Amino acid sequence: ITLTVLEPTLQPTTAKARSTAGDAPILLVNTLGKGRAVTTNFAWGTLDAARTKDEPNPLLEALSGILRDADVQPACALTRPGGSRPLCLQQVQFTDGNARYLGLQQDLLVRGLPEQKLHVKLPQPSLVYDIRAGRQVGTGPVTEWDATVSRGRPLLYALLPYQVSAVTADAPDAAMVGTTLRIPVSISPDGAKPAFHVVRMDAYALGSDTPHRQYSQNLACPDGKGKAVIPFALNDQPSEWRLVFRDVASGVETTRTVRMTFGRPKRRDR
């Protein structure tokens, strides 16, 4: 590999030289208590262009080695068919309590790369949900699966310690026009305390397949519990409204129908 050495006369004192270019140390490590300091005595400018090439990348391997020595590990291992590394791929992990969210995306600034088939491998089993597809990945806890990523179409997964069995919405059968409905919503996990969830509620007027813009909303559900507040207007026509409650992380949903009337609705026997 051809490198540009930044300080050819650099001499270590307490640091240890791990690599050299001629007589110049280019990778030095100094231990400081429980930590370490790493000095790279070369320019990294060629790394960006090398990311797009489907060939061994010594600079990327060196950077990965530095991070591994510092016990900095990626959220998952990613390979392409045949075991080669993906090109220009970024992974991001967000942790919220005992729930984790994993995002995989191809660098938007790099044009011309085709879609890439990936094999995703987690360090430990988890119940995985494909958030954009609204479905569970595999059956039960999984450690690996196949996926396809392309520019502008990132992948987003929820890694949960439990399976979401149901979404419950306690909506009335009927209400008066102009009523503000307050509907308790809850997430039912299997055998665990629920984490923070978001439930998407879409409200559909009778005969419409488009969610009502003012009534549809995202519901914050800390500990799996939240509430929808729907301020029905006084000039709404008496009709049935279809309310769809979908857990964003898992895709599990439930539907409730509320009949709006001009008068006080009569109680219906269940």
Side-chain angles (χ1 to χ4, degrees):
I1 180 173
T2 301
L3 292 174
T4 300
V5 178
L6 300 177
E7 292 291 345
T9 60
L10 179 67
Q11 294 296 321
T13 53
T14 56
K16 303 295 183 183
R18 296 283 184 88
S19 300
T20 60
D23 295 330
I26 58 172
L27 179 60
L28 303 98
V29 178
N30 203 359
T31 302
L32 301 169
K34 295 182 180 181
R36 70 192 67 183
V38 178
T39 297
T40 56
N41 186 23
F42 57 87
W44 289 88
T46 59
L47 176 62
D48 193 54
R51 292 188 308 141
T52 62
K53 298 178 181 178
D54 195 5
E55 57 188 34
N57 189 331
L59 275 181
L60 189 59
E61 293 170 8
L63 180 58
S64 298
I66 293 170
L67 294 175
R68 282 195 303 270
D69 283 347
D71 199 27
V72 177
Q73 304 292 340
C76 64
L78 297 172
T79 54
R80 290 187 297 166
S84 60
R85 64 175 176 84
L87 302 179
C88 303
L89 203 68
Q90 180 185 20
Q91 54 175 291
V92 179
Q93 181 176 246
F94 175 75
T95 302
D96 184 14
N98 57 359
R100 292 180 296 144
Y101 298 89
L102 174 64
L104 305 175
Q105 65 176 353
Q106 201 161 275
D107 192 343
L108 274 174
L109 299 180
V110 179
R111 299 177 179 272
L113 282 180
E115 68 175 25
Q116 301 182 73
K117 295 187 180 301
L118 303 175
H119 185 71
V120 186
K121 188 172 184 179
L122 300 176
Q124 58 189 14
S126 182
L127 284 154
V128 179
Y129 292 90
D130 185 331
I131 294 178
R132 300 192 68 184
R135 58 178 175 81
Q136 186 174 350
V137 175
T139 303
V142 298
T143 55
E144 49 190 301
W145 66 94
D146 294 322
T148 301
V149 67
S150 60
R151 185 175 182 269
R153 294 191 62 83
L155 304 172
L156 186 60
Y157 299 99
L159 314 179
L160 304 180
Y162 49 78
Q163 189 163 7
V164 177
S165 57
V167 175
T168 303
D170 190 13
D173 294 327
M176 290 179 59
V177 169
T179 299
T180 296
L181 288 187
R182 292 173 171 81
I183 304 173
V185 178
S186 61
I187 304 295
S188 300
D190 287 343
K193 180 181 178 180
F196 182 94
H197 281 252
V198 172
V199 170
R200 173 65 184 180
M201 187 210 71
D202 286 317
Y204 297 88
L206 184 64
S208 176
D209 292 326
T210 302
H212 192 283
R213 181 176 178 182
Q214 279 72 35
Y215 296 162
S216 299
Q217 55 197 266
N218 294 328
L219 312 176
C221 298
D223 297 326
K225 297 184 183 299
K227 181 181 291 185
V229 179
I230 312 175
F232 283 105
L234 288 170
N235 61 349
D236 279 332
Q237 295 300 312
S239 64
E240 287 189 342
W241 284 81
R242 178 167 55 94
L243 308 178
V244 180
F245 300 83
R246 177 177 56 85
D247 174 41
V248 174
S250 65
V252 176
E253 66 178 40
T254 188
T255 301
R256 294 291 180 267
T257 300
V258 177
R259 179 170 48 86
M260 304 303 295
T261 65
F262 277 137
R264 186 173 298 277
K266 295 182 179 179
R267 187 173 181 177
R268 293 192 296 180
D269 293 332
R270 294 181 179 270

